[in-house]
Amino acid sequence: MIITFVTGNSHKVEEAVAICSSRGIDIVQNDCGYPELQEDDVAAVAAYGAENVANRLGSAVIVEDTGFYIDALHGFPGPYAAYVHDTIGNAGIISLMQDIGDRGATFRSVIGYCKPGMDAVTFEGRVTGRIAHHPEGEGGFGYDPIFEIDGVTLASMGDAKNKISHRGRSFEKFADWIVGREGL
Ligand code: ITT
């Protein structure tokens, strides 16, 4: 089964391929873009984006939106994670967190799946961890060097990231659903 993943982020595609290939699902990237709602809820962003692009392309697609929620900053940057990463970056987050003891944070990944003319179906995965005091690790992308679980950043985990990550969990749920539905 071939699934078109509409995203401009090739790191997401690499992870989705690693998670889904053993399930008989071929993930193929299309970087045609989609309108991102300015919404607080990443599930609404993913659903709206999937419906828009499925109807535009005339085929089944998935999109995936990620939110990053820092407890001590009342959930900032949340659904605006891409903008904040492009502007203040990991160094900016570390300096915002400089004297803060509560370092808890959560990633949310929501996949929206849609066929033309239907409502989108969404699949969510979450992972909780802590904001590191210093960036560490060469792997991954985005906030991975500053997000740690049991003292190890996602950027230092290699392939193990996909076993525990927000995206690993959302894609496992999606794979269970689509394989059950299509009878692979
Ligand atoms: P598309 O919307 O085209 O899919 P994007 O990179 O803009 O790609 P998001 O809006 O979902 O994707 O990503 C929000 C931000 O969170 C962005 O800066 C990413 O680099 C970052 N991010 C997403 N997934 C991540 C992960 O697994 N680890 C660390 N940072 C991540």
Side-chain angles (χ1 to χ4, degrees):
M1 181 195 310
I2 298 174
I3 297 287
T4 301
F5 183 7
V6 176
T7 175
N9 187 327
S10 56
H11 300 287
K12 287 186 178 180
V13 179
E14 281 167 26
E15 291 184 1
V17 167
I19 297 157
C20 291
S21 59
S22 63
R23 309 291 302 268
I25 301 168
D26 286 332
I27 300 282
V28 176
Q29 181 178 11
N30 182 326
D31 65 0
C32 65
Y34 64 91
E36 287 202 29
L37 282 183
Q38 297 301 296
E39 251 275 358
D40 287 349
D41 181 7
V42 287
V45 176
Y48 180 84
E51 287 171 13
N52 177 283
V53 83
N55 289 318
R56 189 152 45 92
L57 296 181
S59 63
V61 296
I62 56 170
V63 305
E64 189 253 26
D65 199 40
T66 301
F68 185 46
Y69 306 84
I70 300 174
D71 298 347
L73 304 181
H74 307 284
F76 174 89
Y80 307 106
Y83 178 74
V84 169
H85 197 266
D86 289 346
T87 50
I88 64 171
N90 289 342
I93 296 287
I94 287 196
S95 64
L96 281 175
M97 294 294 290
Q98 202 168 11
D99 296 316
I100 298 182
D102 171 11
R103 305 194 68 85
T106 300
F107 274 113
R108 274 180 83 191
S109 158
V110 179
I111 297 167
Y113 168 85
C114 193
K115 282 184 169 172
M118 74 174 236
D119 290 336
V121 186
T122 57
F123 305 87
E124 176 170 338
R126 293 180 185 221
V127 65
T128 57
R130 292 164 53 82
I131 304 296
H133 288 277
H134 309 284
E136 205 165 297
E138 302 297 323
F141 66 98
Y143 296 101
D144 283 347
I146 62 162
F147 184 86
E148 63 181 30
I149 298 170
D150 296 332
V152 180
T153 66
L154 290 178
S156 307
M157 284 184 191
D159 294 344
K161 173 184 172 185
N162 293 332
K163 301 249 183 296
I164 56 160
S165 74
H166 48 305
R167 185 163 301 103
R169 291 173 175 155
S170 62
F171 271 93
E172 285 293 347
K173 283 187 190 168
F174 169 68
D176 287 347
W177 181 82
I178 195 89
V179 166
R181 179 187 160 104
E182 304 287 334
L184 269 183

